[in-house]
Amino acid sequence: MRAQVVLHAARGRSNARIARETGLHLDTVRTWRNRFAALGLTGLAERKRSGRPPRFTALQVAQVKALACRLPFDAGAPLSRWSCPELAREAMVRDIATFVSASTVRRWLAQDTLKDEKTSIQARCRCHPTLAAGQARAMRVNHTYGRGGALTYLAAYDVHHARVFGRTEARTGIDPFLALVAQFMSQEPYTSAKRVFWVVDNGSSHHGKKAADRLTAAFPNTVLVHTPVHASWLNQVEIFFSVVQRKVVAPNDFTDLACATWPHIAGCSEQGAV
């Protein structure tokens, strides 16, 4: 529309005539002609708007996050995962929001971090102690630290009873994974269940048919199910890992690995159930 105003003006037409033919207000036509006369094409670029930025309801934010957790294939798109600009466009197509930017979508998703694995718990000893928040002062955490090693936290989530079984290991691997399965399967009702489905991502400790055969050989009533290769973060236990990362091991100030063990930081039982 702004280009049309410039083209009409180049033909020598008056502001009033341009306003009538384009359907714009006379003041708008006058403003754009003055900007073009002073700055050229750069004067027609969008300027920062004053006033309060757009506000979104909690429902709109939740709908965009739910859309991010769905396969684009379900919407007829030949993609394995939405990008933030694609999510923003899809949200407008679905009338979730009149307009939402890719940066806003990126910020919403970063707040939850639902698609990042959080299996490594590091012991970081800050070079200076952390200062608690005070009146008109945020908590202060020193950015330099010494590394005290890392533990691997493994967890299994019972979707029927909303129970989490967890354990810490020195590293990941086949044996630590089987130890988690043994901890889980040694309890009722899993021991005597006809079938127990284990939904896992495509990590090296439980990848492929060999892992499925190995698990069935050790526990005949288990069935290993892999999530799609490009959607391993759909594994529901990843959400639990994210909660642990944000609410338990942040800001990650542990003097040694003994302080970073799961029973210590969460106060759970020796079995690791919470």
Side-chain angles (χ1 to χ4, degrees), residues 115-153:
K115 60 182 179 182
D116 295 337
E117 293 190 4
K118 300 295 179 183
T119 53
S120 177
I121 303 175
Q122 297 187 22
R124 297 176 178 177
C125 183
R126 302 288 170 177
C127 297
H128 299 283
T130 298
L131 298 180
Q135 186 175 3
R137 185 192 69 199
M139 182 175 65
R140 298 178 179 178
V141 180
N142 186 254
H143 70 281
T144 57
Y145 55 85
R147 296 181 180 273
L151 289 174
T152 297
Y153 175 56

Side-chain angles (χ1 to χ4, degrees), residues 2-223:
R2 300 175 190 182
Q4 292 181 15
V5 172
V6 173
L7 292 175
H8 281 302
R11 297 187 180 101
R13 296 174 181 173
S14 66
N15 290 345
R17 181 178 176 181
I18 295 174
R20 287 195 305 270
E21 294 182 357
T22 59
L24 297 172
H25 194 277
L26 180 60
D27 292 340
T28 303
V29 174
R30 186 181 296 112
T31 298
W32 287 350
R33 288 192 68 173
N34 290 338
R35 289 182 183 178
F36 179 78
L39 303 173
L41 290 176
T42 58
L44 301 180
E46 187 70 35
R47 294 185 175 182
K48 290 185 177 181
R49 298 178 181 269
S50 59
R52 182 177 297 174
R55 292 182 178 273
F56 300 92
T57 65
L59 176 60
Q60 290 175 307
V61 176
Q63 287 176 323
V64 172
K65 291 180 179 179
L67 182 62
C69 293
R70 292 185 57 190
L71 292 175
F73 180 80
D74 295 340
L79 304 171
S80 60
R81 185 176 300 177
W82 296 114
S83 66
C84 288
E86 290 165 345
L87 278 171
R89 289 195 296 269
E90 191 69 12
M92 290 184 284
V93 169
R94 294 169 180 257
D95 291 329
I96 296 176
T98 304
F99 175 80
V100 59
S101 65
S103 59
T104 298
V105 172
R106 188 175 295 109
R107 184 174 67 253
W108 290 344
L109 299 182
Q111 290 172 352
D112 283 342
T113 322
L114 297 182
K115 60 182 179 182
D116 295 337
E117 293 190 4
K118 300 295 179 183
T119 53
S120 177
I121 303 175
Q122 297 187 22
R124 297 176 178 177
C125 183
R126 302 288 170 177
C127 297
H128 299 283
T130 298
L131 298 180
Q135 186 175 3
R137 185 192 69 199
M139 182 175 65
R140 298 178 179 178
V141 180
N142 186 254
H143 70 281
T144 57
Y145 55 85
R147 296 181 180 273
L151 289 174
T152 297
Y153 175 56
L154 305 175
Y157 175 54
D158 181 347
V159 297
H160 290 287
H161 300 91
R163 299 182 64 195
V164 177
F165 298 81
R167 61 185 300 115
T168 53
E169 297 282 353
R171 60 182 59 86
T172 60
I174 295 175
D175 291 338
F177 173 69
L178 290 178
L180 173 68
V181 177
Q183 173 184 324
F184 187 92
M185 297 299 297
S186 63
Q187 304 182 43
E188 293 292 350
Y190 320 111
T191 301
S192 58
K194 183 178 179 180
R195 290 187 301 179
V196 178
F197 292 92
W198 280 76
V199 181
V200 298
D201 57 20
N202 291 271
S204 58
S205 58
H206 40 62
H207 175 71
K209 186 177 184 303
K210 289 185 177 180
D213 295 340
R214 184 167 52 243
L215 192 66
T216 304
F219 306 95
N221 61 337
T222 59
V223 179

